[in-house]
Amino acid sequence: MSLLLENVKKSYREPNGSILPILNIERFELKESEQAVLIGESGSGKSTLLNVISGITSADSGKVTIAGTEIASMAEVVRDRFRAERIGFVFQTFNLLPAFSALENVLLGMSFSREKPNRNRAKELLAQVGLEHRLHHRPQQMSVGEQQRVAVARALANQPKLLLADEPTANVDISNQETILQLLRDACAQNQISMLLVTHSQEVAKQFDRVETLSDFNKIHAEI
Ligand code: ADP
Ligand code: MG
């Protein structure tokens, strides 16, 4: 199995000191090479969940196991390396570095992992997303759809086991939405990467075989 969450709880502390519970997930599992979409309305904890899975944020308690390794108990520096080597992330706002070209942004996606950045592979990835003619463009010289395709190539650069996508098509137009989703799905299927995509959009969700609704298994509402 690729991802297993067990009894994962996460809350934030509000400015007045009170606790704001966000996640309480007894169990969630993603099998190897499986693709799932998780639906939840704005503010329901989708981004928090992806941050907990990737170890960007720590859960308050519980276990997060990725490709057989439990990450919640890792030291931060070990977890950062694990993330760099095993997890790909596509963000809603792309998070490309503005001063760098498409090719350099993809190379940066490789440079945090153990393997040496490989220029030819970076070019291949950009060709896969249809950007072989935009290698040296910087983000602001590209269309929004092109920028998100660079972000997809970058997320695949470290050959991840698990790809997390946080509303990856929320900022692109309808025709690019389908292209980006298909790119993600094909790349994951070809490389045996499991994918968890979160969205508030039913339109996006219906393109996936497995659709879960966060509030169905996030027990936070039951407690309030
Ligand atoms: P979603 O991605 O589903 O829109 P988020 O995971 O971003 O939801 O946020 C869930 C809830 O937690 C929101 O109500 C948000 O305001 C709150 N929240 C997010 N980050 C913090 C934080 N660092 N401190 C306090 N509250 C936060
Ligand atoms: Mg979010």
Side-chain angles (χ1 to χ4, degrees):
M1 140 231 328
S2 191
L3 168 69
L4 178 63
L5 305 179
E6 294 166 286
N7 302 314
V8 168
K9 290 191 182 175
K10 174 71 187 173
S11 53
Y12 292 117
R13 189 171 285 274
E14 295 197 89
N16 67 8
S18 66
I19 301 287
L20 182 66
I22 303 292
L23 300 175
N24 180 6
I25 297 174
E26 211 173 289
R27 191 180 166 90
F28 179 84
E29 189 179 334
L30 196 63
K31 299 206 165 54
E32 233 172 273
S33 304
E34 191 175 20
Q35 301 186 355
V37 64
L38 196 56
I39 285 213
E41 57 198 41
S42 173
S44 60
K46 302 182 299 296
S47 296
T48 302
L49 176 60
L50 292 192
N51 288 340
V52 163
I53 293 172
S54 66
I56 292 171
T57 309
S58 292
D60 301 336
S61 58
K63 284 190 190 176
V64 177
T65 307
I66 297 170
T69 305
E70 206 283 300
I71 66 154
S73 58
M74 280 178 178
E76 200 172 323
V77 54
V78 181
R79 200 164 56 204
D80 287 348
R81 178 159 281 280
F82 184 86
R83 179 186 327 117
E85 290 177 353
R86 301 291 170 82
I87 300 177
F89 217 121
V90 182
F91 300 91
Q92 176 174 356
T93 49
F94 319 153
N95 286 15
L96 298 174
L97 293 174
F100 293 91
S101 70
L103 183 60
E104 289 163 341
N105 267 284
V106 175
L107 283 166
L108 282 164
M110 297 173 175
S111 62
F112 299 104
S113 73
R114 223 180 287 261
E115 277 182 47
K116 265 210 322 249
N118 176 334
R119 231 179 140 78
N120 282 335
R121 200 177 117 69
K123 285 182 185 169
E124 274 167 32
L125 283 166
L126 283 163
Q128 265 176 39
V129 300
L131 289 178
E132 60 274 34
H133 58 313
R134 292 288 184 269
L135 299 181
H136 305 294
H137 277 55
R138 287 194 303 277
Q140 79 265 27
Q141 299 170 322
M142 287 183 279
S143 73
V144 170
E146 286 173 339
Q147 290 176 45
Q148 189 59 307
R149 282 189 269 152
V150 176
V152 169
R154 182 192 52 189
L156 298 168
N158 60 347
Q159 300 180 284
K161 288 269 171 229
L162 173 66
L163 192 133
L164 303 172
D166 192 349
E167 312 225 31
T169 59
N171 290 313
V172 301
D173 59 55
I174 296 283
S175 65
N176 272 300
Q177 184 169 312
E178 291 224 350
T179 312
I180 303 271
L181 287 174
Q182 202 55 51
L183 274 172
L184 280 169
R185 301 201 52 186
D186 291 347
C188 288
Q190 278 161 21
N191 299 292
Q192 288 91 47
I193 300 168
S194 16
M195 167 161 63
L196 181 62
L197 183 149
V198 302
T199 181
H200 67 275
S201 158
Q202 298 284 351
E203 195 62 35
V204 169
K206 75 179 187 205
Q207 303 191 37
F208 286 76
D209 298 331
R210 180 174 168 198
V211 181
E212 304 276 355
T213 302
L214 181 57
S215 57
D216 285 351
F217 62 91
N218 188 20
K219 298 292 186 240
I220 225 67
H221 301 293
E223 280 182 6
I224 295 168

